[in-house]
Amino acid sequence: MTDVTSGPFLHSGASVSRTMGLVILALVPSTAFGLYLYGWPAITLFVVTISSALLFEAIALKLAGKPILPFLTDGSGLLTGWLLAMTLPPWAPWWIGLIGSMIAILLAKHAFGGLGQNIFNPAMIARTVLLISFPVQMTQFLPPLPLSSANAPGFREGIEVVLTGHAGLDALSGASLLGSIKTQLGQGETLPSILASLFDMRDAAIGSIAGSMGETSALLALLGGLFLLITRVISWHIPVSMIAAMVALSTLCHSLNPDLYLGPDVHLLSGAFLFSAFFIATDYVTAPGTDRGKIIFGAGIGMLTFVIRTWAAYPEGVAFAVLLMNATAPLIDAYVRPLIYGRTRKGTPLSYPDDHTKGPTS
Amino acid sequence: MKLFKIKGGIHPKGRKEATSNKAIQSIPLPTMLRIPLQQHIGAPATALVEKGDLVKKGQLLAKARGAVSANIHAPTSGRIIAIGRFIAPHASGLPGTTITLRPDGEEAWADRPPPLDPDTAPVDELAKRVAECGIVGLGGATFPSGVKLNLRNRYDLKLLVINAAECEPYLTCDDRLMRERAEDVLTGVRIMARTLGVERVIVAIESNKPEAAKALRTITKASGDDKISIVEVPARYPMGSEKHLVQTLTGKETPARALTADIGVVVHNVATAYAIQQAVCHGRPLISRIVTLSGEAMAEGGNFEVLLGTPVSHLVEQAGGLKHDPDRLIIGGPMMGQPLSSLRAPIIKGINGILALGQKQKQAPPPMPCIRCTSCAAACPCGLSPFDMAQRIRSDELDSAVDIGLLDCIGCGSCAYVCPSKIPLVQYFNYAKGSLTAKQRADHKQEETKRLVQTRDARMEKMRREKQEAMARMKAERAAKKAKEEQQKQAAAAAQNADTETKIKVEA
Ligand code: SF4
Ligand code: SF4
C-alpha cells in the first residue's frame, strides 16, 4: 500500500503543523498577557519549559527511531511544552519546567507510542505529578507585578529568580484565589465574607490576579477559544458541555446554600476553568471520537471539577477532572457509536418507510 | 422546493472555470480504435466479429452476456484487425479482451433501427431499444440502463431523479451537455419517466451550474411540462452520491443494503438521458460520449465528443497536449477517479474526464500519525468514523472494521481530503474491502470444496452400500441356490434310496 492507488487526488491543505500552529496562535493573547503580568522570571521559565520540551521530543524520537524533522516540526511537542508552561506558577524554579517537560513528553506522550497514541493529556499529567511531588513550589503564586511596574525584577534579576531561587519571593507569594478560599473556609469563615475581601469580578475576568502563568485571564482564554471555534480547530461540544455542567451544578448548590458553595461566576472566572475548557479538554488525542461522546466527556469534566473544588483537599480540580475523563474516553467511544447512514443507532438497517417492492401478484 | 440537509460533505474548490466555457468539440478520427469487451459492470460482452471482418458504423460488435451486461457497437466503419488482450483504462492497468478497429474514414453507417415515438411507443419497446443500443449509466457507474428501466416490473416507483449534480471538481461535461443540448436531454428524461412509470421527475443540478439550470428550465416552461422540476441543490461534495441526492430532495434515507428503488425512487445520470434520446429518436447506439479534459498540466483542455475506443493519447493531443509532466493522470474526477496507467488506454463508456493534475512532484511527504482530530468523521456523509476503521484495518481486524460500517463506506474520499495527517484513508478501505471480497471468495471456494467432498463422500457411501447390498444379495442368492441344490440332491438321493429300496424289495 505504498503507492497511491486510490483517490482523492486533491487535498484540503490541512496539516498537523497548521492545526498546532492555530492553537498556538490562539494561545498568544493569554501568553503575552501572562508574561507581561509576571515579568522576566515568567519569561525565563517559559523559555526553559518550551526548549526542554523540544529537546525531550527530539530525544524521544531518536530513541524510537522515528524521523526527527517532520515530527519535531509538526508542532505537537512545542504545543505540549507551551500548555505546560501556562499551567505553572509564573515564578517557579527552572527545574520545575524541565521536569514537567520531561514527564509530559517522555512519560505521558512517547511511552505510549508518541503522537496520537497517548491516553492522557501530557500537560495535565505533568502538572499533576509536579503538584503531588512538589506541593510547595507548585502552589506559590504571586500577585501580578507587571513588567511596567517599578519593583518588577529586571532581565538579569528575572533570570536569577528562576535559576537560583529568590530571596524576595517568599515575602511576596501566597495562594491563588481558590486556595485562599479553601484555607479560610476551613477556618470557619463564611463564603460571602471571604469573597468580599478576595474576589473582584473584574480582576478575575481580566486576569490581573494571582494564578498560573497563562490561565488567569478568563476573557483572553475565551477569546482564544472563540478563535479556535471559528477556525474549526475545535468543535463546540466539549467547551459548551463543560461550562454548562459547571454552571448547572454550581448554580444549584449555590442557591441551596450560598454560605458554603461558590456561585457559577467564581467558578468560571477563577482557576484554569475556561482555559482548560478550550485548550486542554479539547485535546483531540485524549477525547472521545464522536460528538455525543464529546458532550458526555465535557459534562463529566465540568461536574468532576466542581466536585473536586468543592469537597476534595485540592483547591483546583480541572487537571484531575481532565485526567479522570481521559481515562473514560475509550469507554465512551465503545458505547457511544455514531449514527451510520441508512442504519439505526444500534447498527441495524433502517426499515423501509413504505415498501415499494411489488408483490408477485402485481 | 424544500431541500433537506445531509450530514458531512466537503467543499473542494470547483476548478470548473477552466473548461466550463468551452463548447463541446469533436476530434478527428484516430488511426486505431481499441474497444474493450468490458465497458460496464457485469459480465463482458461476447464478440460477434472476427479478425479481418469489415464493419459498419453502429454495427453490433459484441453481444451482452448475462442479465447485467451491455451490447457494444462499432464506433465507426473499418476493419477489425485484432481481437486480443490490450491495456484497459483501469487502476490496475491489467489488460482485457479488446477488439481493435482500423477506421476506413468512410463513417458508413450500418442499418439503424427505426426511430420510436417517445410519447406513444410501448414502454417495453423503449426499454428494449435502450438495452439493444448498449446504453449504460454514464455517470461512471456503468450499470446497464435497460435493466434499470425495467425496475418498474419489480418496484412501485414514484420519483425519477436525474443526477445532474456533477459534484466532482474539474468536470464540466454534463454542464456543457445541458447547456448545448437541453432539448434532447429533456426528451431523454421524458422517455425514462414514461418507461419507469413515475409520476414525478426532478432534475437535480448543483447550484454552481446556473446556466445549465436555466437552459433546462426555459424548455420545461415553454412546453408547459409540470411533471419535471429543475432543482438547484447546494454545491457540496458528494452531492452526486445517489442516496445522498435522494435524501436532499425527499428527506428520505435509503436503508443500508437497500436500493433507492426500495423507497420508490430511481436515479439516472443526465448524460444517460441524452444517450437514451439518441437511441430512441435516432436509433443511434452508444458509440461516443462527452469527456472533459482538464487539469493544471493540460495545455488547453475542454469538452470533447469522443468515439469510444479512442486512445487517450490521441484525445490529449487533439486537445492541445500537455504543458508539462503531470503529477498525476486520472480517469474521472479527482475525488473518486482512478489513476490512468497508460495514455494508450482507450476511452470507454464510463469515462467522463481525463485529468492531468499538477506538476510532477519528486515525492509526497509520508503521512503523519492519526491525531484523532475527527475531521474525517465530521466530513463523512455516511456517518462513519474513518479514523477508527483505519485503526482497525491497520491492526488487521477486518471484521471489527465491518462492524463499525466499513461496507457502508461509499469511497467518496471526503475523509482523506480533510485529514491533516494526510492518511490515505480510502486506500485503507479499498484494501480492506478487497481482501474481504477475496476472503469471501476463498470462503465460498472452501464451502464449495466442502460441499463437493461431502457429495463425493455421500456418493461413495452410497456406492459402498449398494455394493454391499449387491454382495449380500448375491450371497443370499448363492446360499438359496445351494440350499435348493442340496434339497434337490437330497430329494434325488431320497428318490434313489427309495428306488433302491423298491428294487431291493422287488428283488427280495
Ligand atoms: S482526519 Fe486524519 S488525523 Fe484526523 S482523525 Fe481522521 S484520520 Fe485521524
Ligand atoms: S470514503 Fe467512506 S469513510 Fe471516507 S468520507 Fe467517504 S464514505 Fe466516509
Tab-separated table of all heavy atoms in Angstrom, chain B residues 369-377 387 415 418-421 423 425, ligand 1:
chain	number	residue	atom	x	y	z
B	369	PRO	N	1.067	10.366	11.789
B	369	PRO	CA	0.124	9.510	12.528
B	369	PRO	C	-1.220	10.219	12.715
B	369	PRO	O	-1.286	11.439	12.669
B	369	PRO	CB	0.810	9.320	13.884
B	369	PRO	CG	2.162	9.894	13.773
B	369	PRO	CD	2.204	10.788	12.595
B	370	CYS	N	-2.250	9.425	12.932
B	370	CYS	CA	-3.581	9.988	13.191
B	370	CYS	C	-3.576	10.709	14.531
B	370	CYS	O	-3.136	10.165	15.538
B	370	CYS	CB	-4.622	8.876	13.224
B	370	CYS	SG	-6.232	9.410	13.795
B	371	ILE	N	-4.057	11.955	14.543
B	371	ILE	CA	-4.121	12.696	15.808
B	371	ILE	C	-5.531	12.714	16.372
B	371	ILE	O	-5.848	13.478	17.269
B	371	ILE	CB	-3.595	14.136	15.645
B	371	ILE	CG1	-4.332	14.852	14.501
B	371	ILE	CG2	-2.087	14.131	15.371
B	371	ILE	CD1	-4.031	16.338	14.438
B	372	ARG	N	-6.387	11.883	15.811
B	372	ARG	CA	-7.775	11.752	16.273
B	372	ARG	C	-8.514	13.075	16.294
B	372	ARG	O	-9.300	13.352	17.187
B	372	ARG	CB	-7.802	11.115	17.667
B	372	ARG	CG	-7.402	9.651	17.671
B	372	ARG	CD	-7.436	9.087	19.075
B	372	ARG	NE	-8.683	9.423	19.744
B	372	ARG	CZ	-9.748	8.640	19.755
B	372	ARG	NH1	-9.720	7.482	19.149
B	372	ARG	NH2	-10.834	9.014	20.377
B	373	CYS	N	-8.264	13.884	15.282
B	373	CYS	CA	-8.910	15.196	15.265
B	373	CYS	C	-10.377	15.092	14.895
B	373	CYS	O	-11.131	16.033	15.049
B	373	CYS	CB	-8.198	16.103	14.268
B	373	CYS	SG	-8.372	15.566	12.565
B	374	THR	N	-10.790	13.937	14.387
B	374	THR	CA	-12.163	13.631	13.972
B	374	THR	C	-12.671	14.498	12.821
B	374	THR	O	-13.867	14.529	12.558
B	374	THR	CB	-13.196	13.672	15.144
B	374	THR	OG1	-13.273	14.988	15.655
B	374	THR	CG2	-12.792	12.730	16.235
B	375	SER	N	-11.793	15.196	12.147
B	375	SER	CA	-12.220	15.928	10.953
B	375	SER	C	-12.819	14.968	9.945
B	375	SER	O	-13.774	15.288	9.242
B	375	SER	CB	-11.038	16.608	10.265
B	375	SER	OG	-10.285	17.332	11.156
B	376	CYS	N	-12.215	13.775	9.869
B	376	CYS	CA	-12.680	12.798	8.881
B	376	CYS	C	-14.106	12.370	9.189
B	376	CYS	O	-14.935	12.245	8.290
B	376	CYS	CB	-11.753	11.596	8.854
B	376	CYS	SG	-11.410	10.875	10.457
B	377	ALA	N	-14.402	12.167	10.468
B	377	ALA	CA	-15.748	11.753	10.848
B	377	ALA	C	-16.738	12.877	10.563
B	377	ALA	O	-17.854	12.637	10.107
B	377	ALA	CB	-15.785	11.366	12.321
B	387	PHE	N	-11.286	7.295	11.048
B	387	PHE	CA	-10.048	7.078	11.811
B	387	PHE	C	-10.101	5.756	12.564
B	387	PHE	O	-9.115	5.029	12.641
B	387	PHE	CB	-9.790	8.250	12.775
B	387	PHE	CG	-10.836	8.437	13.831
B	387	PHE	CD1	-10.628	7.948	15.098
B	387	PHE	CD2	-12.019	9.103	13.553
B	387	PHE	CE1	-11.590	8.117	16.083
B	387	PHE	CE2	-12.985	9.284	14.524
B	387	PHE	CZ	-12.776	8.784	15.795
B	415	CYS	N	-13.168	12.058	3.659
B	415	CYS	CA	-12.358	11.910	4.869
B	415	CYS	C	-10.883	12.174	4.577
B	415	CYS	O	-10.237	12.965	5.263
B	415	CYS	CB	-12.544	10.517	5.458
B	415	CYS	SG	-12.344	9.173	4.272
B	418	VAL	N	-9.837	15.872	3.961
B	418	VAL	CA	-9.662	16.807	5.072
B	418	VAL	C	-8.595	16.376	6.076
B	418	VAL	O	-8.228	17.159	6.950
B	418	VAL	CB	-10.986	17.019	5.851
B	418	VAL	CG1	-12.046	17.631	4.952
B	418	VAL	CG2	-11.472	15.723	6.458
B	419	CYS	N	-8.096	15.162	5.969
B	419	CYS	CA	-7.202	14.648	7.019
B	419	CYS	C	-5.900	15.442	7.105
B	419	CYS	O	-5.135	15.481	6.145
B	419	CYS	CB	-6.881	13.179	6.761
B	419	CYS	SG	-5.668	12.525	7.906
B	420	PRO	N	-5.640	16.090	8.242
B	420	PRO	CA	-4.410	16.877	8.353
B	420	PRO	C	-3.157	16.013	8.326
B	420	PRO	O	-2.090	16.489	7.962
B	420	PRO	CB	-4.559	17.584	9.701
B	420	PRO	CG	-5.501	16.749	10.467
B	420	PRO	CD	-6.433	16.136	9.466
B	421	SER	N	-3.280	14.758	8.696
B	421	SER	CA	-2.123	13.870	8.679
B	421	SER	C	-1.929	13.237	7.307
B	421	SER	O	-1.013	12.442	7.124
B	421	SER	CB	-2.265	12.788	9.744
B	421	SER	OG	-2.183	13.365	11.021
B	423	ILE	N	-3.460	10.913	5.776
B	423	ILE	CA	-3.506	9.451	5.790
B	423	ILE	C	-4.362	8.987	4.612
B	423	ILE	O	-5.466	9.498	4.427
B	423	ILE	CB	-4.099	8.956	7.124
B	423	ILE	CG1	-3.203	9.431	8.275
B	423	ILE	CG2	-4.247	7.437	7.137
B	423	ILE	CD1	-3.794	9.244	9.636
B	425	LEU	N	-6.807	7.310	3.679
B	425	LEU	CA	-7.873	6.517	4.296
B	425	LEU	C	-8.608	5.644	3.286
B	425	LEU	O	-8.847	4.460	3.532
B	425	LEU	CB	-8.864	7.459	5.001
B	425	LEU	CG	-8.277	8.181	6.211
B	425	LEU	CD1	-9.101	9.401	6.587
B	425	LEU	CD2	-8.193	7.238	7.400
C	1	SF4	S1	-8.764	13.294	9.864
C	1	SF4	FE1	-6.884	12.068	9.821
C	1	SF4	S2	-5.817	12.646	11.680
C	1	SF4	FE2	-7.899	13.388	11.914
C	1	SF4	S3	-8.911	11.707	12.979
C	1	SF4	FE3	-9.243	11.365	10.824
C	1	SF4	S4	-7.595	10.001	10.236
C	1	SF4	FE4	-7.011	10.885	12.185
